[in-house]
Amino acid sequence: MKVNNKTLFVTVISIKLLAILLISCQYLDKGNIVENDSQTTENKSIINDEITERKIDSVLSLMTIDEKIGQLVQYSGKWDATGPSSSVSDQYKNDKLRKGEVGAMLNVSSVASVRETQRIVMENSRLKIPLLFGYDVIHGYKTIFPIPLGESASWDLDIMQQSAVISAKEASASGINWVFAPMIDVSRDARWGRIMEGSGEDTYLTTVIGVAKIKGLQGNDLSNSNTVAACAKHFAGYGFAESGRDYNTINIGEFELHNTILPPFKAAANAGVATFMNAFNDIDGIPSTGHKYLQRDLLKGEWNWPGFVVSDWGSIGELIAHGYASDLKQASEIALNAGSDMDMQSYAYEASLKELVKEDNVALSLVDDAVRRVLRVKFHLGLFDDPYKYCNEEREQNDIYNQAHLNVARDVAKKSIVLLKNNNQLLPLSKSVSSVAVIGPLANDKNTPLGNWRAKGEYNSAVSLLEGVKQAVSKNTKVYYEKGVALTIPTIKPGENQFSTPIEFNTTDTSGIRKAVEVAKKAEVVLLAIGEDAYQTGEGRSQVDIGFKGLQLELLEAIKKVNKNIVIVLMNGRPMDIRSASEMVPSILECWHLGSQSGNAIADVIFGDYNPSGKLPVSFPHHVGQEPLYYNQKNTGRPYGLKQVTYSAYRDAPRFALYPFGYGLSYTTFKYDNLTLNTSEIKVNGELEVSVNVTNVGDREGEEVVQLYIRDLVGSLVRPIRELKGFKKMMLKPGETKTVTFLINSETLQFYSVNKKWEVEPGDFDVWVGGSSKAELKERFSVINE
């Protein structure tokens, strides 16, 4: 770590001012930067350790009320990728920084910018309390990985943790020490634009992925210079926005909240996540930002979580628009009392908290608690030891967007691809195929694969499908290319505001279809790249129509008339209505928005260098009218399957998914048999083992995700028809059989019951094991009282 003389001088001054604090303090860390190793047994995440608490006490004892409130203020340094632009002058922000009345910045990135902003505080403020620097690092910093929904399709926790490690390494090398990820909202409605940012429809899968991401970002020691503070968001219910419309109200009951939405957040708190972010939505009339039960009673009280809660962008001020507060002062009172610690860009706390404390409408003890939580994160990050620890120009030069990171990005991307359909084993193609036509609006697109929320990903920097194919095939293979139709007019250009630039779709220009048809006639196989623009999903990008926009289906229909060997390469940020397209073609690859190495990863799968192993983390509907759609529905009193008209179904579409949760094909075939329970009866606190034999009966090595589902047949609440409770991903050689074993115990079987507590209820349970949520191998066991 580099520490120049000016840095050392400023740090020493801070030490002298905080003399009581530093009795037990260890000084500048001279150690080497180490890899973010989350596999060690010791985990130094956010905890209440005695030494740190004594330091915090010492700082608090020195602070004025204005300095305390300042620690609860976060400003955006400039416009960059999130929220509406600021109306407050840079000079005002600089003055507040000099007074030590700012706790954190966001959208300040690069070593030079971070160093300069930190310098303003360290050389001018009275107590010289260092700043946090936050950024939206959602699926990579400059090396871009698949969008979170796509990466979740890998069902590979190790590679997801690895991508988070690299994201933390790159962000921290650029001066960032806090990232607003992971998003662990369970989301079941494909219309919701931000479904791309999470892990899909299932609580269990979202939970384990969230923990893996937190471990990757924070490592086992936040004081390491290549780790960052993570942020579990959005607390809570945001993914259940009514009708899939972003920021909309949430209508759920108490039991659904606890059983479906909250478990990923509880796991994040247990994993030591440094921060939480509250949500824009209201839940049954109470905005999450002002929700005392969620933030203060449950998160900080019952869960005893010691980190701090940051508002979402401007969400404290938005309590006024909700009709929950009459003005900014009342909004501040509600939010702080409810447990929202840091105000992101509302300018509410700085304007109102001091007066609210004087009036006894906000207790000083609650302000102190919020400040204590912010300081705790700063201490654990090591910022009091070295405020400039993330300002290392050498790391910024070497640790961002290097070949090693791109290699991992390619590995993650290929494992995120899901083979949805492969009639007549059209795939994989031989690299010596005589000719291939690469067609479609996304075929030579180097920007769309980066997806939304691409942080510092450079415009047009992704490997396109066309580039990937050309690099993969033999020199004798003829590769034809035609765009066919444009998807949008215009797309968002570099430097444009993604939150204000509308997308206009091409619905009239068919001039390129004729050329596309001509090359399709000449090719042995057509690779048709269609789907969604990068900015069709993301914040504020909800849609009522989740089908193919523009003229994409017209292009498909024209090509099908001259060449039936079509592989749809689907690039998208949400589950789409692809029913009609699925009926027209023999093969479909779900490729999401795969990031920097998209084209190479897709080519790896198309030409058989990698056997696809992805499984869907969300259900794909037959029709948008099925949304919200998810596999773990509850039965009604008239469940699906009766022959009469009066049962719970649609008259014009199936009830269940076109492609269900957990589904994904391979170039080989896996056989499941011999599902066995080691006992058919256990006590409430007992456990049993479930085992199954899985055999690769094909002629190609492949990975399979073996999935465990259960159903509680009778409960004090209606229970889902099945729920994912475990999975294991493993490689099998041709002809190889492996026995997979799962453990079922009280943690597996408990739920938030009618008694308003987590418990296991005695009764009968069904258990399935298979390759998707439609697994058919089933056994039954019973749970009895002690």
Side-chain angles (χ1 to χ4, degrees), residues 316-338:
I316 294 176
E318 290 175 14
L319 294 178
I320 302 169
H322 273 289
Y324 200 65
S326 59
D327 54 26
L328 206 58
K329 182 178 178 181
Q330 187 182 16
S332 299
E333 177 183 346
I334 292 170
L336 197 285
N337 284 333

Side-chain angles (χ1 to χ4, degrees), residues 633-709:
Q633 303 171 22
K634 300 181 180 74
N635 257 349
T636 68
R638 297 184 177 186
Y640 184 83
L642 300 177
K643 297 181 187 287
Q644 294 85 359
V645 171
T646 52
Y647 66 90
S648 181
Y650 299 105
R651 301 276 67 83
D652 55 353
R655 173 180 168 183
F656 297 106
L658 175 65
Y659 294 110
F661 174 86
Y663 170 85
L665 301 175
S666 169
Y667 294 154
T668 190
T669 304
F670 300 99
K671 177 185 175 184
Y672 288 77
D673 62 10
N674 195 29
L675 179 62
T676 304
L677 311 183
N678 70 334
T679 179
S680 61
E681 185 176 275
I682 60 172
K683 295 181 179 180
V684 168
N685 292 319
E687 60 183 34
L688 65 84
E689 288 185 353
V690 179
S691 62
V692 67
N693 291 340
V694 184
T695 304
N696 182 347
V697 296
D699 57 3
R700 183 185 290 263
E701 184 178 57
E703 292 174 283
E704 173 69 336
V705 180
V706 183
Q707 303 163 42
L708 172 77
Y709 296 87

Side-chain angles (χ1 to χ4, degrees), residues 18 20-21 49-63 68 368 372 375-376 379:
L18 302 177
I20 300 173
L21 159 71
D49 66 277
E50 183 179 351
I51 293 175
T52 300
E53 298 310 301
R54 287 166 58 192
K55 296 177 183 179
I56 295 170
D57 288 340
S58 297
V59 176
L60 275 171
S61 71
L62 298 171
M63 297 177 75
K68 289 178 180 179
D368 285 349
R372 175 181 294 277
L375 295 177
R376 185 176 292 128
F379 272 113

Side-chain angles (χ1 to χ4, degrees), residues 513-776:
I513 292 181
R514 181 185 57 80
K515 291 182 180 180
V517 169
E518 290 304 312
V519 299
K521 287 179 182 178
K522 296 187 289 185
E524 188 174 338
V525 179
V526 173
L527 303 177
L528 182 63
I530 54 178
E532 295 186 311
D533 180 84
Y535 292 107
Q536 276 183 254
T537 52
E539 186 171 350
R541 301 292 185 178
S542 297
Q543 296 180 177
V544 296
D545 177 6
I546 59 172
F548 291 100
K549 297 286 192 178
L551 300 168
Q552 295 182 97
L553 283 181
E554 286 85 343
L555 175 64
L556 169 59
E557 289 167 350
I559 290 171
K560 184 177 181 294
K561 291 176 182 177
V562 300
N563 192 329
K564 297 190 183 334
N565 292 328
I566 302 173
V567 178
I568 289 181
V569 179
L570 188 64
M571 300 181 188
N572 50 303
R574 59 161 54 85
M576 293 182 65
D577 177 356
I578 62 171
R579 176 181 51 82
S580 59
S582 179
E583 293 171 352
M584 285 192 273
V585 301
S587 189
I588 304 174
L589 280 176
E590 170 54 83
C591 296
W592 317 103
H593 294 142
L594 289 177
S596 298
Q597 288 289 299
S598 176
N600 287 334
I602 297 170
D604 286 339
V605 171
I606 287 174
F607 296 102
D609 289 330
Y610 181 74
N611 187 351
S613 62
K615 301 281 188 176
L616 291 178
V618 282
S619 300
F620 275 52
H622 289 268
H623 189 277
V624 67
Q626 293 177 274
E627 298 294 332
L629 179 65
Y630 49 99
Y631 81 95
N632 49 348
Q633 303 171 22
K634 300 181 180 74
N635 257 349
T636 68
R638 297 184 177 186
Y640 184 83
L642 300 177
K643 297 181 187 287
Q644 294 85 359
V645 171
T646 52
Y647 66 90
S648 181
Y650 299 105
R651 301 276 67 83
D652 55 353
R655 173 180 168 183
F656 297 106
L658 175 65
Y659 294 110
F661 174 86
Y663 170 85
L665 301 175
S666 169
Y667 294 154
T668 190
T669 304
F670 300 99
K671 177 185 175 184
Y672 288 77
D673 62 10
N674 195 29
L675 179 62
T676 304
L677 311 183
N678 70 334
T679 179
S680 61
E681 185 176 275
I682 60 172
K683 295 181 179 180
V684 168
N685 292 319
E687 60 183 34
L688 65 84
E689 288 185 353
V690 179
S691 62
V692 67
N693 291 340
V694 184
T695 304
N696 182 347
V697 296
D699 57 3
R700 183 185 290 263
E701 184 178 57
E703 292 174 283
E704 173 69 336
V705 180
V706 183
Q707 303 163 42
L708 172 77
Y709 296 87
I710 68 163
R711 180 183 179 187
D712 187 347
L713 271 67
V714 178
S716 60
L717 301 171
V718 175
R719 306 296 296 129
I721 55 177
R722 63 176 71 184
E723 297 178 280
L724 179 71
K725 290 296 181 178
F727 63 89
K728 294 183 180 180
K729 188 169 187 176
M730 62 182 185
M731 181 71 74
L732 288 167
K733 297 177 182 178
E736 182 179 11
T737 298
K738 288 185 179 180
T739 300
V740 181
T741 301
F742 296 97
L743 182 68
I744 292 179
N745 55 26
S746 58
E747 185 177 351
T748 314
L749 302 177
Q750 67 179 347
F751 70 102
Y752 191 77
S753 74
V754 74
N755 297 319
K756 298 188 177 183
K757 64 179 182 179
W758 286 88
E759 61 181 330
V760 179
E761 294 182 345
D764 293 333
F765 292 78
D766 283 340
V767 56
W768 295 264
V769 178
S772 79
S773 58
K774 305 298 285 185
E776 296 180 352

Side-chain angles (χ1 to χ4, degrees), residues 379-395:
F379 272 113
H380 280 285
L381 282 167
L383 292 173
F384 278 94
D385 289 337
D386 181 5
Y388 303 96
K389 65 180 294 183
Y390 293 91
C391 299
N392 185 317
E393 289 83 356
E394 184 178 350
R395 283 197 61 212

Side-chain angles (χ1 to χ4, degrees), residues 10 13-14 17 121-130 384 387:
V10 172
I13 293 297
S14 292
L17 283 171
V121 172
M122 300 308 296
E123 294 187 4
N124 294 282
S125 66
R126 187 177 74 93
L127 293 182
K128 309 185 188 307
I129 299 174
F384 278 94

